[in-house]
Amino acid sequence: HLTLNPEVFFHPLRSEVDSEVEECGVLTLFAPGDALVTLRNTANPATLATGSLLGCPVANNEGTVLLRAARRRDFPKPGIWTYVMACVNEATMEICEGKGLLQTRLMMLTPSGEQTEGLEIVRLFRVPDWAIHKIPNVVPFVNQCVRNFRDSNLSRAIKRGEVGVPCVIFSVRKCDRGPPLRPVDFARGEWELSEKDGFRLAGYLQ
């Protein structure tokens, strides 16, 4: 599920493994797993067929689209990964329905043994039932993207720690016996008590 992080999913090297992507990138990273990104698609035969069936024909280039992409783990319940890709109006910077095939969507993934079950929710307008059943199967395309990713420069960059934002995970507990400790020398494992008077968590974390 690391590939669902916006920092990875919209990395400029993605175009090497995804034939539908011409270029993409991260504009603003609000937090690990939450970013404002750009995406420019390249239409392949499956995309053109899907666009025709859904009533939104696409050209080879729809232009660059602005998106807010976010990923949450254990939401709405433990064991589920939820991913939201919301289109953003460039003029107002507000969330909008979308443009062409790039519609605001939500995806929930649930690991099941060696496989992962997925549910994708997209709002479609005035699409007949018969068209839904004729949308091309994207599973072979997705599987090919996964195989391409494993042997890609992007995958190697991730393994080297060059992609993504390093973060520190910490836990806060009630201190019954005084103020928390703060490190003096990490190498020697030396700690000391924080000042009790005027203690503030924000200052302690800094």
Side-chain angles (χ1 to χ4, degrees):
H1 300 293
L2 174 63
T3 55
L4 287 181
N5 286 344
E7 314 85 289
V8 176
F9 196 74
F10 293 96
H11 192 277
L13 291 177
R14 180 183 168 190
S15 60
E16 296 183 4
V17 300
D18 191 340
S19 60
E20 284 192 340
V21 174
E22 181 176 336
E23 62 180 18
C24 58
V26 176
L27 292 182
T28 305
L29 188 65
F30 302 105
D34 184 4
L36 183 68
V37 303
T38 59
L39 175 66
R40 182 194 296 268
N41 275 349
T42 297
N44 57 28
T47 304
L48 294 172
T50 302
S52 298
L53 290 169
L54 297 182
C56 49
V58 294
N60 287 335
N61 194 334
E62 285 190 308
T64 301
V65 178
L66 196 61
L67 304 167
R68 178 73 179 266
R71 186 259 317 150
R72 283 192 64 180
R73 183 178 181 179
D74 294 330
F75 181 84
K77 62 182 182 180
I80 295 181
W81 293 70
T82 299
Y83 186 80
V84 176
M85 187 174 69
C87 296
V88 177
N89 186 304
E90 296 183 15
T92 63
M93 297 304 292
E94 295 181 350
I95 302 298
C96 60
E97 291 289 348
K99 176 182 179 182
L101 286 178
L102 286 174
Q103 299 291 322
T104 293
R105 61 190 62 217
L106 178 145
M107 181 169 57
M108 292 186 291
L109 302 176
T110 305
S112 178
E114 296 182 356
Q115 298 182 345
T116 298
E117 298 178 356
L119 172 66
E120 187 173 11
I121 301 174
V122 184
R123 184 181 181 185
L124 301 176
F125 296 91
R126 300 181 298 276
V127 178
D129 292 339
W130 65 265
I132 297 294
H133 297 292
K134 291 185 177 295
I135 294 177
N137 184 7
V138 299
V139 173
F141 170 75
V142 173
N143 289 337
Q144 183 60 50
C145 286
V146 172
R147 289 191 293 268
N148 293 343
F149 172 78
R150 290 172 180 171
D151 299 325
S152 68
N153 292 326
L154 177 56
S155 177
R156 287 187 284 270
I158 292 173
K159 293 177 181 178
R160 293 193 300 265
E162 299 174 357
V163 175
V165 177
C167 57
V168 177
I169 301 175
F170 66 94
S171 62
V172 179
R173 299 182 181 180
K174 182 178 179 181
C175 300
D176 296 326
R177 301 181 181 180
L181 298 174
R182 61 185 180 188
V184 176
D185 190 325
F186 275 114
R188 298 181 180 180
E190 297 179 359
W191 298 73
E192 66 179 8
L193 285 174
S194 301
E195 296 180 3
K196 185 175 182 179
D197 296 333
F199 174 80
R200 294 291 183 271
L201 178 62
Y204 172 75
L205 295 178
Q206 292 175 355

